[in-house]
Amino acid sequence: KTCVQESFFTLDNAKYWYLVFIYDFLFKCLDVERMHFTSCDTDSVYFAIAGDMNRHGEQVFDAIVKDKEFYDKYVYQFMPNPAIGTVADEKKILGAAVEKYGDNQVALCPKCYTIWNNKENGSMETKSLKVKGVSLKQNCKIHPSSYLSVINDNKVFKGKNINLQMNRKHNSDGKISIQMSKVTIKKNALAGFHNKMIVLEDQTCIPFIKGLTANDVIIKSCEEYAKECENEFKNIMNNKDLDAELLELGKNISENESEVSANGDSNDIPTYINDFDESHWDLPLRTRFDENFKITFNKSKHGSYDGKHIGDLKCRNQTGMVLSVNETPGFAVIDIDINKKLPQKKRFEIKQSIISKLSEDDIIIETGSGSLHIYANHNIPGLYKNAYVKCFECDEFDIDYFASVDCNSYHGLMLPDSENENGRYEFYQGNWDSVIKRTATDVIKSLGVELDLSGKNSKEYDDDDEPLTYLPVDEEMKLVDGLFGMEVHNYASKIDDRLTLLPLFGAIKCLSPDNRDKAFYNVEFKCNLTCKASMNFETVKKDAKHSNINVLYKIIRMYNPEYYKKVLH
């Protein structure tokens, strides 16, 4: 009796709010690299969570929350509030609640999945069994292992439904008799096919398109596609119709490189760019950055394939561009990193205060983590490297200064219209056609700060030449024993953001050789390494230079606080 319009609105609004919960709440405050969207239905969704291995399976999202302030602010608008603890709150309109937990799930298609736990004796504890079109009571031979066999062995499990059917029959005497019949219908209960989408051989799915079959789809890995892109770029660069002037320029560069090689190893010779290279200052951003950036894929911070022009059509899985700052003459970036420990409102006020000090001519980029990049023309003399990290520090923000100084020493910078795991980079002020009008000293003066750009030239001095003074053995072992249960990532980041291999290994190399080996063992086998961290473990271990033993204290204090308070505090 409900009118069609009301029914459709209710269904559409429920689906809309379903997406709001996922995209505007969960994906904004959780570590999406540690959660997997396994299956869904009209009003339900199933996630696989890489949580805390030392806790029980009913930990919800606690171990993967990245933005705790955002999570705490909005979680009870959707989930039940334990402080209220009523059925009405659990069943609130447009709310969400956990229906079931489990250690394993296999989902073959919508409304066809199983969830189970593995027992210590090797058996399976079934938490949920769902099939489409057959009755589980009449098909008792279906178990969680059946779903696995469909995927692993391409098996098809037959099922049957038995129903009673009543038929009316007209007799010869004109009377009506009723006859009861038992009808058995046989069908496929579990199979690797479903009619909602096209299923490909690697278990991925695509929507129905008229005339398209699974045989028409070519499946490629990201690595294969990236290799094709690389070959395509090489073909473009090998095109004989390229501008003759560029080819001549390349020839001159090759000749100069040959001269350097003849005189010695060019890798040991830093090539410093003139302090005031003003030849590019009047060019728009897109012209200055063309052919000086690399393409990134799958929200990575690092690119390995050279880009051609800003504004080119994006390749599949391309998520951004990373500028080679060292190859961009006369360019500088003032990176203002606002203290992430401050409340969101305070951080916003600081950002607005900084922007108010800048000129309308400045090009400002808002980074994925909420920091600011201010583009400027490099005019600070006497520098010896491309990156000066934390050359200004205060309670509210830090400043890094990046410039094109040594063209042989790579330094990358994520560009606007790009996205990585921290978020999206966007123009706050300016665009690709804007021209940088102010120098670095002009911007620094407007900010009212003084940058510390001093320090030893790393080309002339190496800390590894200094003999290390080790801690007492028992004190070192306290540090070694604290290296457990920590999550370790691959790509280098600030320790305050997350723990990565490079700073950890640099601190470990401040230990005595025997205890150093024990520490590396604990990291490899007692910590939670991401896949990429495991792959690059030995390489980073070999290349890392010793830093300072105090870094190891800080790492344990931040990422194993209970041990730190109990043993090291």
Side-chain angles (χ1 to χ4, degrees):
K1 294 180 180 181
T2 305
C3 66
V4 175
Q5 292 88 340
E6 183 179 345
S7 300
F8 272 94
F9 171 79
T10 303
L11 182 61
D12 288 346
N13 192 47
K15 291 195 175 203
Y16 165 74
W17 204 248
Y18 176 98
L19 297 176
V20 167
F21 173 63
I22 295 172
Y23 288 99
D24 289 348
F25 175 62
L26 294 182
F27 286 5
K28 282 190 174 182
C29 60
L30 303 183
D31 186 350
V32 294
E33 289 188 353
R34 296 176 59 187
M35 63 187 297
H36 180 62
F37 190 111
T38 59
S39 61
C40 66
D41 202 350
T42 305
D43 60 353
S44 60
V45 62
Y46 299 86
F47 291 104
I49 305 295
D52 187 344
M53 296 174 61
N54 299 317
R55 294 178 57 188
H56 57 79
E58 299 182 3
Q59 55 188 276
V60 200
F61 303 114
D62 294 351
I64 64 169
V65 175
K66 290 178 64 176
D67 190 338
K68 190 72 165 61
E69 182 181 355
F70 184 90
Y71 180 83
D72 291 341
K73 183 177 180 180
Y74 296 108
V75 62
Y76 297 129
Q77 291 188 19
F78 300 97
M79 304 295 285
N81 189 340
I84 299 175
T86 63
V87 176
D89 180 59
E90 183 179 354
K91 303 291 184 180
K92 58 178 173 276
I93 296 176
L94 299 180
V98 178
E99 186 177 69
K100 60 178 74 73
Y101 296 92
D103 296 338
N104 310 275
Q105 183 191 21
V106 172
L108 299 178
C109 67
K111 297 181 175 66
C112 184
Y113 66 88
T114 180
I115 298 174
W116 78 93
N117 292 344
N118 293 323
K119 292 186 175 181
E120 294 182 359
N121 59 7
S123 63
M124 293 181 174
E125 178 190 4
T126 303
K127 306 292 288 188
S128 180
L129 276 177
K130 296 289 183 181
V131 291
K132 182 73 171 174
V134 297
S135 170
L136 280 172
K137 293 181 179 179
Q138 298 176 20
N139 296 271
C140 301
K141 294 183 179 180
I142 295 177
H143 302 287
S145 57
S146 307
Y147 294 74
L148 283 171
S149 298
V150 171
I151 292 180
N152 296 333
D153 305 320
N154 291 323
K155 284 189 176 182
V156 175
F157 288 86
K158 301 290 184 179
K160 61 182 180 179
N161 283 342
I162 302 175
N163 300 313
L164 296 177
Q165 191 174 58
M166 187 173 63
N167 299 315
R168 289 187 175 188
K169 185 178 179 181
H170 292 272
N171 299 327
S172 57
D173 57 1
K175 294 182 179 180
I176 298 175
S177 63
I178 297 176
Q179 183 179 9
M180 190 72 71
S181 303
K182 184 169 72 171
V183 180
T184 301
I185 302 174
K186 295 183 179 180
K187 56 174 66 178
N188 291 338
L190 296 178
F193 166 85
H194 72 80
N195 57 4
K196 301 288 186 181
M197 289 184 287
I198 298 175
V199 183
L200 305 180
E201 61 183 358
D202 65 346
Q203 303 301 324
T204 57
C205 300
I206 60 172
F208 283 118
I209 300 175
K210 186 176 181 180
L212 184 71
T213 67
N215 294 329
D216 300 320
V217 181
I218 300 173
I219 302 172
K220 295 180 182 178
S221 65
C222 293
E223 290 76 13
E224 290 173 331
Y225 186 75
K227 188 66 176 178
E228 287 186 5
C229 292
E230 182 182 19
N231 293 334
E232 184 178 343
F233 286 130
K234 287 180 179 178
N235 292 335
I236 293 173
M237 296 306 296
N238 291 333
N239 189 344
K240 294 182 180 179
D241 295 331
L242 281 176
D243 192 284
E245 185 178 343
L246 288 176
L247 293 175
E248 185 64 27
L249 177 62
K251 181 180 178 183
N252 293 337
I253 291 173
S254 299
E255 290 174 356
N256 292 338
E257 288 178 348
S258 299
E259 278 184 30
V260 173
S261 299
N263 294 326
D265 187 359
S266 62
N267 292 331
D268 295 332
I269 305 173
T271 304
Y272 297 113
I273 298 173
N274 294 333
D275 287 327
F276 304 107
D277 186 350
E278 301 181 17
S279 60
H280 299 76
W281 285 13
D282 295 331
L283 299 176
L285 286 184
R286 66 171 69 249
T287 305
R288 294 181 72 168
F289 293 169
D290 277 352
E291 300 186 354
N292 291 334
F293 66 92
K294 296 183 181 296
I295 293 174
T296 64
F297 296 90
N298 299 315
K299 297 186 180 181
S300 171
K301 293 182 179 179
H302 308 278
S304 54
Y305 304 106
D306 294 332
K308 187 74 172 174
H309 299 294
I310 297 292
D312 283 347
L313 290 176
K314 289 188 175 182
C315 306
R316 188 179 67 176
N317 296 325
Q318 179 183 337
T319 52
M321 303 170 287
V322 174
L323 180 70
S324 299
V325 175
N326 53 302
E327 297 176 1
T328 312
F331 177 71
V333 177
I334 297 165
D335 177 8
I336 302 178
D337 186 17
I338 301 171
N339 190 348
K340 295 180 178 61
K341 295 181 179 179
L342 297 175
Q344 192 71 22
K345 182 179 179 181
K346 180 65 176 176
R347 294 186 67 204
F348 178 79
E349 292 173 354
I350 294 171
K351 181 168 67 175
Q352 294 303 311
S353 174
I354 292 171
I355 292 173
S356 67
K357 298 177 182 179
L358 299 173
S359 165
E360 294 181 355
D361 295 329
D362 288 328
I363 299 174
I364 305 172
I365 313 301
E366 186 168 17
T367 72
S369 60
S371 302
L372 297 174
H373 287 174
I374 306 164
Y375 291 174
N377 291 316
H378 172 55
N379 71 330
I380 301 177
L383 303 187
Y384 66 88
K385 61 181 181 179
N386 298 325
Y388 288 80
V389 179
K390 290 191 177 182
C391 50
F392 174 82
E393 295 183 80
C394 66
D395 294 337
E396 294 183 339
F397 59 86
D398 303 331
I399 294 181
D400 304 334
Y401 184 76
F402 308 126
S404 179
V405 178
D406 180 1
C407 65
N408 282 339
S409 178
Y410 173 77
H411 182 79
L413 180 81
M414 190 69 73
L415 289 176
D417 299 334
S418 301
E419 188 174 3
N420 59 28
E421 57 191 14
N422 292 327
R424 188 166 180 80
Y425 288 61
E426 300 279 8
F427 280 105
Y428 184 91
Q429 184 171 289
N431 54 58
W432 289 117
D433 295 315
S434 299
V435 176
I436 301 175
K437 297 183 178 179
R438 298 218 295 167
T439 63
T441 52
D442 292 336
V443 176
I444 294 168
K445 184 177 179 181
S446 297
L447 293 172
V449 299
E450 187 173 333
L451 304 188
D452 180 10
L453 302 175
S454 60
K456 290 186 176 293
N457 188 333
S458 60
K459 302 288 183 181
E460 302 171 358
Y461 176 82
D462 189 352
D463 280 342
D464 284 344
D465 296 333
E466 289 283 309
L468 283 172
T469 302
Y470 300 124
L471 295 175
V473 175
D474 57 341
E475 187 65 22
E476 284 194 345
M477 283 308 300
K478 290 179 181 178
L479 292 171
V480 172
D481 292 340
L483 298 174
F484 66 89
M486 298 183 288
E487 182 172 291
V488 185
H489 296 262
N490 177 43
Y491 293 127
S493 299
K494 295 179 181 178
I495 297 177
D496 292 341
D497 295 339
R498 63 177 185 176
L499 180 58
T500 56
L501 291 176
L502 193 59
L504 176 59
F505 285 2
I508 287 175
K509 287 197 173 182
C510 296
L511 300 171
S512 58
D514 290 342
N515 290 332
R516 190 181 306 167
D517 292 338
K518 296 175 184 177
F520 282 126
Y521 177 87
N522 283 359
V523 172
E524 186 171 9
F525 296 103
K526 296 184 180 181
C527 292
N528 304 322
L529 284 91
T530 62
C531 293
K532 291 184 178 178
S534 298
M535 291 169 57
N536 295 313
F537 187 92
E538 291 299 331
T539 302
V540 180
K541 177 181 174 182
K542 177 182 177 182
D543 296 341
K545 306 294 183 183
H546 70 74
S547 56
N548 191 300
I549 194 65
N550 290 329
V551 175
L552 198 54
Y553 280 98
K554 180 177 179 179
I555 288 173
I556 296 175
R557 174 170 57 83
M558 293 187 64
Y559 296 98
N560 197 350
E562 293 183 4
Y563 178 87
Y564 181 86
K565 291 177 182 178
K566 184 178 179 181
V567 179
L568 293 173
H569 186 58

